[in-house]
Amino acid sequence: MSINYQCPHCKGYLALDGCLLFSVRTPDHTVGLISLHIELGNYAVKKNPGFEYREGDHLDFYCPICHT
């Protein structure tokens, strides 16, 4: 059984190649894209090397399609 992950606002599909894609903003308003693995227990995070944040930072996650 496959699961389709969708934004609750725009109903856009968020999964690609086994990962969920999100637009993210850091406390200092730096923005970037992050992908999180959909497998339970797999905490792998992929991001651009230039997009930096510190452990413990509060990150705001948004739909990459509608930015809600």
Side-chain angles (χ1 to χ4, degrees), residues 13-35:
Y13 292 97
L14 303 176
L16 181 66
D17 293 332
C19 293
L20 291 174
L21 301 176
F22 293 100
S23 176
V24 179
R25 184 174 60 204
T26 67
D28 64 357
H29 300 284
T30 304
V31 293
L33 294 174
I34 284 183
S35 70

Side-chain angles (χ1 to χ4, degrees), residues 48-66:
N48 183 289
F51 178 60
E52 296 182 9
Y53 55 89
R54 293 184 301 266
E55 185 175 337
D57 276 353
H58 174 89
L59 302 176
D60 293 318
F61 284 72
Y62 302 94
C63 170
I65 301 165
C66 71

Side-chain angles (χ1 to χ4, degrees), residues 40-54:
L40 291 176
N42 184 340
Y43 301 107
V45 174
K46 292 182 184 176
K47 64 176 188 62
N48 183 289
F51 178 60
E52 296 182 9
Y53 55 89
R54 293 184 301 266

